[in-house]
Amino acid sequence: MEWETVIGLEVHAQLSTASKIFSGASTQFGAPPNAQACAVDIALPGVLPVANRGAVERAIRFGLAVNGMSAHNINRRSVFARKNYFYPDLPKGYQISQYELPVVLGGTINIVLRDGEKAVRLTRAHLEEDAGKSLHEDFHGMSGIDLNRAGTPLLEIVSEPDMRSAEEAVAYARALHSLVRWIDICDGNMQEGSFRCDANVSVRPKGAQALGTRREIKNLNSFRFLQQAIEFEARWQIETIQDGGTIVQATVLFDPDTGETRAMRTKEDAHDYRYFPDPDLPPLVVTEATIAEIRASMPELPEQRRRRYMSEFGLSAYDAALLTADRELGEHFEEVVRHSLKEGEPLAGADFKLCANWVINEVSAKLNEENLPAAKAGVGGDTLGHILRRLREGAINAKTAKDLFSEFWSEARESAYARRGGDPRRVDALIESRGLKQMSDEGALEAIVDQVLGANAKSVEEYRSGKQKAFNALIGQAMKATGGKGNPARISEILRRKLAS
Ligand code: ADP
Ligand code: MG
């Protein structure tokens, strides 16, 4: 029997406000334990929560961004509710969250996979406060409680069970991660817990309509763990059913050391939490004026930018998605495009595909290697653009362009990325002083080709007997004879002509 995996994600994004969601205490990460927990956060009797406007605005930014800027999915009136449970790091005995009426209802995230696009529907996004942390080390057999995180604003983003593989779930989580940073509502720092995923996973026979029983994997804080955990969990569920067992709804933990998931507790249902509206907080009312003001402050969205790269620049959906995975990378790409133009050349005349390939293959590769954000790229978009301009003009060949780029990037690395390497003027100065100009002179290239043909009779023989590889070897020899500066297209033409005669 063939099986299908079904996944729905709950993501907790920590909103980047300076103070907490219901108190004025700081949200700064890394302070000594309990240094940032005020009377409201530690639940002293008689204190009252006051909602943080910045947190509400960030939730609205998110709502607009996942609904094509339309505010139909934003509840003009939503309600804070108490979710009651006992845990030492939850001093009030309840978490303030939203239940029946969340601030955002619905929306979509479009994910781009190699084999096409897919829309993942959002169920809701609601505001809530984070709990504190229990510390189990360094306390000589006791546990410590740090309430610095208590009251930190979270946006919980819940998807429909629309994903069908670990790859889709990761693509969705990445798209969401990129979006919350893009619209500046969350710093996305996964090590510090600013963006964490719970994955709900079930399996069913392929073609079945009804959903299987799900298990929920808690607190996955890296995309790799998300992928591994879902893959393991789905396999485990299929094997369990095939062995005659049944899946029991449960909350499970992923152990990165073993790569396995393990049941933590049977899952509670909503009614276990005794939700009710928090009488200390009035309903959250969002006015049209607030929405209009927030809409006016929104940047171009990744989705819009992706479509623009496709329609205006003629890029493939996949390339456009790679370039808009990160706001700064897209900006870098556009800077490269602008600087690749000759004086007075209109934007439409740019070689978008060439620029995209360089940013995707060269810049992104180096950023990944060095684990750097796009804003720290070792070579500026102006410098790379200028290198590509000289390449397009035929002043240098692709090899020289790559050498210059790598050399400049190394300069930045040497400064530990405190500054960028190279600049547009040095591109020209180096081409001049090192004599890097591409050799396109017909006569000179012909002489070199003749010499190479004379010295490589064996390759010529092989080529004539049908070995395509021998042709490349001859081009390589000729390029070498030009000190790497020959125009490969011209050399190839001359070679072909001479070999045919
Ligand atoms: P909670 O986990 O708090 O009980 P919900 O019941 O609303 O909340 O479900 C949370 C998540 O579980 C959603 O992302 C939803 O898409 C997903 N989900 C629900 N049922 C299934 C299922 N059978 N298989 C996979 N995911 C599911
Ligand atoms: Mg859940």
Side-chain angles (χ1 to χ4, degrees):
M1 176 151 50
E2 265 206 81
W3 293 86
E4 179 173 64
T5 307
V6 174
I7 305 146
L9 289 192
E10 292 163 89
V11 168
H12 288 91
Q14 183 179 318
L15 299 173
S16 54
T17 55
S19 60
K20 294 188 179 175
I21 185 166
F22 300 118
S23 83
S26 168
T27 54
Q28 192 81 45
F29 183 84
N34 299 307
Q36 291 174 176
C38 73
V40 173
D41 307 326
I42 66 174
L44 289 189
V47 297
L48 283 173
V50 178
N52 180 335
R53 190 186 172 91
V56 175
E57 284 172 354
R58 282 167 176 77
I60 294 171
R61 285 174 81 74
F62 180 78
L64 290 171
V66 294
N67 208 41
M69 297 302 275
S70 140
H72 290 309
N73 61 336
I74 292 167
N75 274 326
R76 304 308 197 262
R77 183 177 167 282
S78 64
V79 171
F80 288 109
R82 291 185 180 180
K83 180 178 181 179
N84 299 280
Y85 65 93
F86 174 79
Y87 207 73
D89 62 20
L90 188 74
K92 291 195 295 296
Y94 60 85
Q95 174 193 27
I96 306 179
S97 181
Q98 296 190 304
Y99 183 55
E100 276 162 318
L101 281 174
V103 58
V104 176
L105 257 183
T108 8
I109 295 283
N110 289 312
I111 56 174
V112 182
L113 303 150
R114 266 191 194 280
D115 51 4
E117 280 187 45
K118 171 167 184 164
V120 174
R121 293 166 301 158
L122 297 184
T123 315
R124 55 192 266 146
H126 64 253
L127 284 162
E128 63 181 27
E129 60 179 342
D130 209 343
K133 268 184 195 161
S134 301
L135 309 169
H136 302 297
E137 283 138 38
D138 306 330
F139 288 97
H140 313 284
M142 296 185 284
S143 285
I145 304 288
D146 177 5
L147 293 176
N148 281 350
R149 203 179 64 182
T152 296
L154 301 178
L155 189 66
E156 176 171 337
I157 304 156
V158 183
S159 84
E160 289 291 301
D162 281 352
M163 285 142 297
R164 296 291 175 267
S165 66
E167 287 72 32
E168 286 187 11
V170 169
Y172 164 81
R174 281 190 186 279
L176 203 56
H177 183 249
S178 157
L179 180 66
V180 296
R181 277 157 50 235
W182 192 295
I183 60 174
D184 219 2
I185 65 169
C186 168
D187 68 19
N189 188 325
M190 294 176 87
Q191 277 91 40
E192 293 178 2
S194 300
F195 187 93
R196 4 190 240 268
C197 304
D198 301 340
N200 291 269
V201 181
S202 64
V203 297
R204 63 181 174 190
K206 208 161 188 136
Q209 284 298 308
L211 292 173
T213 303
R214 72 183 147 123
R215 303 212 308 165
E216 178 174 354
I217 315 165
K218 278 284 179 196
N219 266 330
L220 296 160
N221 65 354
S222 87
F223 297 120
R224 197 160 53 87
F225 293 165
L226 180 63
Q227 170 107 22
Q228 290 174 351
I230 293 172
E231 280 170 359
F232 177 86
E233 177 64 24
R235 232 180 302 123
W236 181 87
Q237 290 187 15
I238 293 167
E239 279 166 20
T240 301
I241 298 171
Q242 282 174 338
D243 291 349
T246 47
I247 306 299
V248 179
Q249 184 163 312
T251 299
V252 306
L253 283 182
F254 174 69
D255 181 349
D257 294 329
T258 60
E260 298 183 355
T261 53
R262 178 161 36 79
M264 178 166 74
R265 54 172 196 249
T266 55
K267 197 178 152 43
E268 40 303 278
D269 288 312
H271 65 249
D272 295 326
Y273 289 116
R274 301 294 188 269
Y275 278 101
F276 64 87
D278 192 319
D280 287 345
L281 284 155
L284 177 63
V285 173
V286 178
T287 65
E288 300 310 314
T290 301
I291 291 176
E293 204 176 294
I294 293 171
R295 184 185 280 119
S297 74
M298 294 287 285
E300 178 187 34
L301 297 173
E303 182 75 18
Q304 295 170 322
R305 187 179 280 180
R306 191 157 65 75
R307 306 249 173 249
R308 178 163 65 83
Y309 285 3
M310 290 167 68
S311 62
E312 200 178 319
F313 299 170
L315 298 181
S316 72
Y318 194 71
D319 284 355
L322 290 176
L323 290 170
T324 52
D326 173 316
R327 189 167 162 183
E328 277 88 28
L329 191 68
E331 263 135 44
H332 182 80
F333 164 66
E334 291 188 48
E335 198 185 354
V336 170
V337 168
R338 278 196 304 279
H339 287 269
S340 73
L341 296 169
K342 301 166 200 178
E343 263 94 43
E345 190 180 4
L347 183 66
D351 188 340
F352 299 106
K353 183 72 186 148
L354 175 81
C355 296
N357 284 345
W358 270 76
V359 172
I360 291 167
N361 298 326
E362 308 298 325
V363 179
S364 285
K366 283 207 156 58
L367 290 171
N368 287 340
E369 242 167 64
E370 310 268 317
N371 199 14
L372 287 171
K376 284 262 167 205
V379 177
D382 54 347
T383 307
L384 175 54
H386 197 75
I387 293 175
L388 297 185
R389 173 180 168 176
R390 295 302 181 224
L391 173 65
R392 289 180 60 217
E393 290 170 344
I396 55 174
N397 65 21
K399 181 179 181 301
T400 304
K402 277 191 189 153
D403 290 346
L404 283 174
F405 175 77
S406 290
E407 181 178 338
F408 288 160
W409 194 291
S410 304
E411 293 173 3
R413 187 185 303 117
E414 274 154 31
S415 80
Y417 298 98
R419 55 181 182 77
R420 296 191 192 279
D423 66 57
R425 265 165 309 157
R426 268 187 57 220
V427 173
D428 290 341
L430 288 177
I431 293 173
E432 203 52 48
S433 68
R434 291 185 189 165
L436 300 176
K437 262 219 168 60
Q438 172 165 260
M439 261 178 77
S440 297
D441 180 75
E442 198 71 17
L445 289 179
E446 267 193 42
I448 286 175
V449 167
D450 283 337
Q451 177 202 324
V452 165
L453 287 175
N456 294 277
K458 192 158 159 268
S459 295
V460 173
E461 187 80 10
E462 283 173 5
Y463 173 76
R464 294 216 158 106
S465 66
K467 279 201 186 140
Q468 195 44 48
K469 257 207 201 137
F471 188 74
N472 296 336
L474 290 168
I475 290 194
Q477 287 300 322
M479 280 298 284
K480 203 167 152 201
T482 64
K485 290 174 297 185
N487 179 329
R490 301 290 316 117
I491 290 179
S492 168
E493 250 178 67
I494 297 170
L495 249 178
R496 224 172 265 291
R497 173 156 46 78
K498 296 211 176 242
L499 283 167
S501 61

